[in-house]
Amino acid sequence: MDEVLLRSLTPHVLGIVVRRGADFASAEDAVQEALIEALRVWPDDPPRDPKGWLVTAAWRKFLDAARSDSARRRREDVVDVEPAPGPASTVDDTLQLYFLCAHPSLTPSSAVALTLRAVGGLTTRQIAQAYLVPEATMAQRISRAKRTVGTVRFDQPGDVATVLRVLYLVFNEGYSGDVDLAAEAIRLTRQLAAAIDHPEVAGLLALMLLHHARRAGRTAADGSLVPLAEQDRGRWDTAAIAEGVAILQAALARDRLGEFQAQAAIAALHADAPTAGETDWVQIVEWYDELAKLTGSPVVRLNRAVAVGEADGARAGLAALAEVDDTLPRHAAVAAYLHERDGDLVTAARLYSEAAAKAPNLAERDHLTRQAARLNTHLRG
């Protein structure tokens, strides 16, 4: 059984069932039941037209559910005609599904879960494992999301910016369990890039590829984090870097700069440097200036302070950091790094310890604790 094929067909089939009159929640349930049936039947009797088979099976599942529900008698009168046998429509509704699943009426976590289920073709169990939550909890989250978008017309979806943020959220979740969400986000973004000609979609795909290319170098054999400056660049994926840079260059040439293109430009400068010491920090600061204009984000200003510290010295970086809200996550970690670069090891050790206590995950906490211990050992020696 080719599960990749089933996953690739899921959004197409779901879109067709919705367009034929089913509400989103019922259509999604019907498609999932059809996929289960396919897993049971196809190994012994593979269809000549997999997409047409799934559309017909999903439509029948939907009709069966409609007939058994007395509250939907009126809908049954409208939809009680099966589609004619033969190849399914070639209309691709994947793009509309992206926008529907990323509707602004949904919370970010619900939009991510619904996108993975409806467009990504993942099961509720897979999504729950990826997010380290009970399957019942994820099922409730997806069910609430389906009910919310059930009142939204298929031709009144969210906007491109919302879709891109949802995909970026998926990418940033990384991976756990049997679902690699970073790879899944890249797969979904490739689909979107093939369906819509938009420089920011290309910018997001380039950004994902450039970040993902460095993945193998980010952790040591024991699972500990490896800072960018210490990573073995020979472990980076040069093919992914080349693809990301090419996509980015084509997007930038259209002169419609957006935040994902600017972020990708920064990532490209890191990836392009043969060694950490050869990184073009001056140009990175310039890109952070552009990014700050586009977003007004305090997190961007925090990251810019690091770049300023590398380009113009630690004192300049600390001066830039002084203009950033010190309650931001990772502010203490940045301050610790810049103070260490400035030679104030006592302050740096204290700040590393403070940052470790506030770290959002175990790997980062362990890394910051090691930094504090390293400086304290040096001070005692």
Side-chain angles (χ1 to χ4, degrees), residues 269 279-289 307-308 310-312:
L269 286 167
T279 303
D280 189 345
W281 286 106
V282 172
Q283 195 172 166
I284 287 176
V285 172
E286 292 174 355
W287 275 111
Y288 270 122
D289 289 339
V308 170
E310 298 289 352
D312 300 325

Side-chain angles (χ1 to χ4, degrees), residues 193-207:
I196 180 173
D197 183 19
H198 193 294
E200 271 295 82
V201 176
L204 178 59
L205 178 57
L207 176 63

Side-chain angles (χ1 to χ4, degrees), residues 246-264:
I247 292 172
L248 172 63
Q249 289 175 338
L252 291 175
R254 300 178 64 177
D255 199 23
R256 290 169 54 193
L257 185 63
E259 60 178 289
F260 289 117
Q261 294 170 72
Q263 288 187 61

Side-chain angles (χ1 to χ4, degrees), residues 19-173:
R19 288 177 69 87
R20 284 179 172 169
D23 64 273
F24 186 89
S26 298
E28 206 274 342
D29 289 339
V31 171
Q32 291 300 320
E33 289 185 26
L35 293 174
I36 293 171
E37 184 73 5
L39 288 169
R40 184 181 68 82
V41 172
W42 286 12
D44 298 323
D45 185 20
R48 286 180 295 179
D49 177 18
K51 183 177 176 181
W53 190 101
L54 285 171
V55 170
T56 299
W59 191 251
R60 286 173 177 163
K61 297 290 185 183
F62 167 69
L63 291 178
D64 288 343
R67 293 188 184 102
S68 66
D69 188 346
S70 60
R72 297 181 181 178
R73 296 297 183 186
R74 183 176 302 174
R75 179 185 293 278
E76 183 180 6
D77 293 338
V78 175
V79 302
D80 197 17
V81 178
E82 286 194 7
S89 167
T90 58
V91 175
D92 185 356
D93 291 311
T94 305
L95 183 57
Q96 290 95 323
L97 286 175
Y98 273 106
F99 286 83
L100 188 62
C101 293
H103 196 272
S105 61
L106 295 175
T107 64
S109 61
S110 294
V112 167
L114 191 59
T115 300
L116 288 171
R117 178 70 181 269
V119 187
L122 303 186
T123 65
T124 302
R125 181 178 183 182
Q126 287 175 314
I127 301 170
Q129 288 177 339
Y131 277 87
L132 304 178
V133 300
E135 185 175 353
T137 300
M138 184 55 68
Q140 291 176 352
R141 184 180 299 175
I142 294 173
S143 180
R144 285 195 298 268
K146 288 192 292 185
R147 286 197 299 270
T148 299
V149 299
T151 61
V152 178
R153 290 221 316 266
F154 201 48
D155 60 350
Q156 291 183 333
D159 59 9
V160 174
T162 304
V163 175
L164 296 183
R165 280 179 174 77
V166 167
L167 289 172
Y168 196 39
L169 282 172
V170 176
F171 180 80
N172 284 332
E173 288 297 328

